[in-house]
């Protein structure tokens, strides 16, 4: 049987025919802003929870009814919802009543809030937003259903929008991402000439650039070594290379350098204005001796920006959490193993003790 092939998508076609050199130029020069990868609370459709709502007999008694209910039937997990709207009052969630011995909301009120036993004309079950709104647009959507408490956050609004970075910031981020591709170009061109984007996009290899934005300087770079070592993914090597700038590092101990000298001069020829090097690392003893604060010396990847060709896997993403990275940028999604968008959003897990921001959409 003949296999029917799907026609290549526009992006796949581009990868097949664009040279890596041209692609790197496009990554560097495009004016397209980047997109933040935010938690599902921002992006998924509103989740609703079923609640009992009572219509009061006498609207003039509404504030008294609310005071009594807040005292005897506090809303707990539904704090983001205003208790009343016009002549309607939220009583409790359906889920809560299901855990109680009473069979109906009227029976529950008679048993627990006796003074309100005749307060309601009738009851209904209705779906109300389960979580507080995070963005103005959610608040507007929610308010069509019920009134919500909402405190707008200008930073989150900007992060959700499509103009987060200024043109100068964008140029810097795009330049560092282009350098990540240039690292791949440098190593791959030793094996093959006339490289295409597909040589990178269709492989699993990765390259990483670590930048200290406070001094606008590349602190460490790395290229994948997963073929020779199961955990030497590019991001893990980059973290180790950053450690080398702070009297640490465990891998490739022979050179003890965060940046390969030959690769650095290759990059400098193509990206003439780019700076290399970390801020001076001060040991605890020196900090104490000079009466300096610990924040005056770099600590792991605190405050650093990490640029990766490809969305990192769970191991690398967790490594970047442990390393205290500040922002992670990646170009290609990793549909099978990516941990910052494709398979999960590790940076959005509330129980982790450190969170970084993630940006993509370079293409
Ligand atoms: Zn990895």
């Amino acid at each position: 049987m003949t296999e029917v092939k799907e026609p290549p998508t526009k992006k796949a076609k581009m990868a097949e025919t664009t040279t890596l050199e041209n692609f790197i130029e496009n990554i560097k020069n495009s004016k397209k802003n980047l997109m933040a990868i935010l938690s599902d609370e921002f992006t998924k459709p509103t989740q609703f929870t079923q609640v009992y709502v009572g219509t009061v007999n006498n609207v003039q008694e509404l504030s008294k009814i609310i005071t009594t209910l807040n005292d005897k039937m506090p809303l707990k997990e539904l704090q983001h919802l205003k208790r009343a709207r016009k002549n309607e009052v939220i009583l409790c969630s359906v889920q809560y009543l299901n855990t109680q011995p009473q069979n109906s909301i009227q029976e529950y009120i008679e048993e627990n809030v006796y003074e309100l036993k005749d307060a309601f004309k009738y009851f209904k079950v209705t779906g109300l937003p389960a979580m507080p709104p995070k963005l103005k647009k959610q608040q507007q959507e929610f308010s069509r259903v019920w009134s919500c408490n909402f405190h707008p956050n200008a930073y989150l609004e900007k992060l959700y929008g499509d103009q987060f970075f200024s043109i100068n910031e964008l140029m810097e981020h795009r330049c560092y991402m282009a350098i990540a591709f240039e690292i791949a170009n440098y190593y791959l061109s030793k094996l093959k000439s006339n490289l295409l984007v597909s040589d990178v996009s269709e492989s699993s290899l990765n390259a990483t650039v670590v930048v200290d934005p406070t001094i606008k300087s590349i602190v460490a770079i790395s290229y994948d070594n997963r073929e020779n070592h199961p955990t030497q993914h590019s991001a893990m090597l980059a973290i180790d290379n950053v450690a080398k700038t702070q009297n640490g590092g465990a891998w490739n101990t022979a050179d003890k350098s965060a940046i390969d000298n030959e690769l650095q001069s290759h990059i400098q020829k193509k990206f003439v204005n780019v700076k290399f090097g970390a801020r001076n690392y001060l040991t605890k003893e020196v900090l104490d001796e000079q009466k300096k604060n610990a924040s005056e010396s770099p600590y792991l990847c605190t405050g650093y920006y990490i640029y990766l060709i490809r969305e990192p896997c769970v191991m690398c993403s967790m490594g970047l959490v442990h390393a205290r990275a500040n922002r992670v940028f990646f170009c290609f999604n990793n549909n099978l193993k990516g941990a910052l968008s494709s398979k999960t959003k590790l940076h959005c897990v509330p129980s982790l003790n450190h969170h970084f921001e993630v940006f993509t959409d370079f293409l």
Side-chain angles (χ1 to χ4, degrees), residues 233 313 315-316:
H233 293 191
C313 70
M315 172 183 72
C316 292

Side-chain angles (χ1 to χ4, degrees), residues 40-312:
D40 292 348
E41 295 160 287
F42 294 86
T43 54
K44 285 263 166 81
T46 309
Q47 302 287 309
F48 290 90
T49 186
Q50 299 297 104
V51 298
Y52 284 103
V53 168
T55 302
V56 299
N57 278 315
N58 183 356
V59 183
Q60 275 150 16
E61 286 182 8
L62 195 60
S63 73
K64 211 171 87 190
I65 292 171
I66 293 170
T67 310
T68 310
L69 284 172
N70 285 347
D71 181 35
K72 302 212 167 155
M73 289 173 71
L75 280 179
K76 292 176 188 159
E77 73 282 3
L78 298 173
Q79 291 287 328
H80 58 288
L81 298 170
K82 296 248 200 283
R83 189 99 212 195
R85 193 182 68 157
K86 296 179 187 160
N87 59 346
E88 294 182 316
V89 184
I90 300 173
L91 298 166
C92 66
S93 69
V94 170
Q95 205 184 6
Y96 174 74
L97 195 72
N98 288 344
T99 64
Q100 301 301 308
Q102 294 79 23
N103 287 322
S104 71
I105 187 70
Q106 178 65 36
E107 274 179 39
Y108 181 84
I109 289 173
E110 282 174 20
E111 192 78 30
N112 296 281
V113 204
Y114 189 75
E115 60 271 46
L116 296 185
K117 74 177 174 52
D118 298 320
F120 300 99
K121 216 185 289 181
Y122 48 82
F123 303 100
K124 67 176 180 184
V125 170
T126 190
L128 296 184
M131 302 295 288
K134 295 262 184 190
L135 301 167
K136 276 185 203 156
K137 86 174 185 80
Q138 290 176 319
Q139 193 260 339
Q140 283 160 3
E141 192 191 322
F142 287 13
S143 63
R144 277 184 233 129
V145 185
W146 197 268
S147 307
C148 293
N149 298 314
F150 176 61
H151 308 285
N153 179 321
Y155 185 79
L156 285 181
E157 295 291 340
K158 197 177 170 202
L159 199 59
Y160 185 78
D162 54 6
Q163 294 296 318
F164 184 74
F165 293 116
S166 70
I167 191 73
N168 286 343
E169 290 167 336
L170 185 66
M171 278 164 62
E172 284 174 16
H173 298 314
R174 286 191 163 277
C175 174
Y176 293 126
M177 181 56 78
I179 291 172
F181 279 93
E182 191 54 49
I183 296 169
N185 188 23
Y186 170 83
Y187 284 106
L188 287 174
S189 61
K190 292 181 177 177
L191 310 170
K192 189 186 165 195
S193 55
N194 303 322
L195 288 165
L196 298 176
V197 188
S198 53
D199 290 311
V200 180
S201 65
E202 287 168 21
S203 72
S204 58
L205 62 83
N206 215 339
T208 308
V209 175
V210 182
V211 171
D212 181 344
T214 62
I215 54 166
K216 294 184 193 289
S217 177
I218 295 176
V219 172
I221 50 182
S222 67
Y223 185 63
D224 235 283
N225 191 35
R226 72 183 71 201
E227 281 177 15
N228 302 310
H229 191 299
T231 63
Q232 285 188 350
H233 293 191
S234 170
M236 300 295 279
L237 285 163
I239 292 166
D240 196 66
N241 284 345
V242 169
K244 286 172 191 157
T245 67
Q246 298 169 15
N247 293 357
W251 284 330
N252 305 330
T253 45
D255 67 11
K256 265 284 175 193
S257 159
I259 302 172
D260 179 290
N261 284 335
E262 206 183 304
L263 176 55
Q264 181 176 333
S265 52
H266 172 85
I267 293 169
Q268 275 170 324
K269 270 182 218 146
K270 298 205 172 189
F271 299 83
V272 285
N273 295 321
V274 167
K275 264 173 63 186
F276 286 83
R279 275 177 289 148
N280 267 349
Y281 174 71
L282 306 173
T283 60
K284 197 181 172 305
E285 291 71 33
V286 173
L287 284 169
D288 288 347
E289 199 181 284
Q290 297 182 5
K291 294 190 170 46
K292 283 185 171 170
N293 194 295
S295 64
E296 293 179 61
S297 173
Y299 172 67
L300 306 175
C301 292
T302 302
Y304 288 179
Y305 294 173
I306 318 293
Y307 300 82
L308 297 141
I309 287 178
R310 198 176 305 281
E311 182 187 359

